Amino acid sequence: KSIVIGGGATGCGVARDLVLRGYKTILIELNDLGSGTTSRSHGMLQSGARYAVSDNNYAAECYRERKTISKILPEAVELTGGLFVCLPHDPIDYIEKFSKCCGIAKIPVEEVSIKNILKDEKELTKDLTKAFYVPDAVVYPQKLINLLAKDIRAYEGTILTKHQVISIKQKNNFINSVEVVHNQTKKIIECDGIINASGPWSNKITKLINQKIELQLTKGSFLIFPQRIVNKAINRCRYPSNNDIMCPSGSLSLWGTTSEIVKDPDTTKIRPEEIQELFIGAEKLFPNIRNYKSFKFLSGVRPLVKIKNINEGVPLPRSHTVIDHQNNGLKNILT
């Protein structure tokens, strides 16, 4: 019997994978499924082109994952396509490397006419120098979660929401059960192994086994406009940075994101200066963006794994990491 802790996109995806392989699986979530980082994302299903120059292996992984999710859960995906657009002062060296690096990562890329783009994307600035088409897509987080949960239940997996893991029991370096509380009632659930998929809250789980993961938590904030300002995902063609994507999402458009290191995974309050930063960045691509008076804002916290010996100022990689706690004495728990 396997226990997965954390009911976001990763936890639900892992639980689905386990039940398809025949494991008896229990998914435990503190709140509602997808209520954490998953529901606080802009929903980009990256082609990988964003990372083609800065992290080519990860870019290739993104494109493989984008194709996989589009194939197995098409109802949760919109194949919008994406554009990488260049402004006059964007770094020439990056633009020159962009197509070549997409090719190395096997990501389809095509330079396209600015004139044709502006017919389709009427809010985009006319001050463009180059543009490239890539197969970016959009994923709808709640649809994704609902479809994953449907499969988990269909293959006789169990989903426990509003359950908090309060202790993890072990014997002879093997975890054999977890204790949970639900509606002020405690119960013990026996298991043969645990997967900790609780994202930025991972250390709250590993603390129960007296271990710690070196995470860098970064809060990302974005603006939500109640109009479809763009038809395709619009990206700045530059090294990945803050404030460089406008993403269509159904009848909405999402612009972002910022990046700010935080200590608490529940830090989701947005400061007024963050909103101003977002608008200043958006104006460079969408000069009339402040005319859209009706908008909301949202933020979520990303869990990035700290890498030893990385140079200061170099962004941490975004790729997934599997941590085997066997290295610290426990033989049947992964994060």
Side-chain angles (χ1 to χ4, degrees), residues 239-253:
Y239 290 97
S241 182
N242 295 352
N243 257 326
D244 50 11
I245 300 175
M246 180 73 87
C247 183
S249 182
S251 60
L252 309 175
S253 298

Side-chain angles (χ1 to χ4, degrees), residues 45 65-74 77 139 144:
L45 191 55
E65 187 75 351
R66 170 244 181 271
K67 290 192 291 185
T68 299
I69 292 174
S70 302
K71 181 179 178 181
I72 64 175
L73 299 166
V77 175
V139 64
L144 176 73

Side-chain angles (χ1 to χ4, degrees), residues 4-8 27-36 159-166 179-183 197-198 201-202 204-205 265-266:
V4 178
I5 302 173
L27 175 64
I28 302 174
E29 164 57 38
L30 176 61
N31 296 301
D32 293 318
L33 294 182
S35 58
I159 298 175
L160 303 176
T161 56
K162 306 289 174 63
H163 281 66
Q164 181 180 5
V165 176
I166 56 173
E179 185 178 13
V180 298
V181 60
H182 173 65
N183 290 338
S198 46
W201 295 272
S202 290
K204 293 195 173 185
I205 301 303
D266 293 303

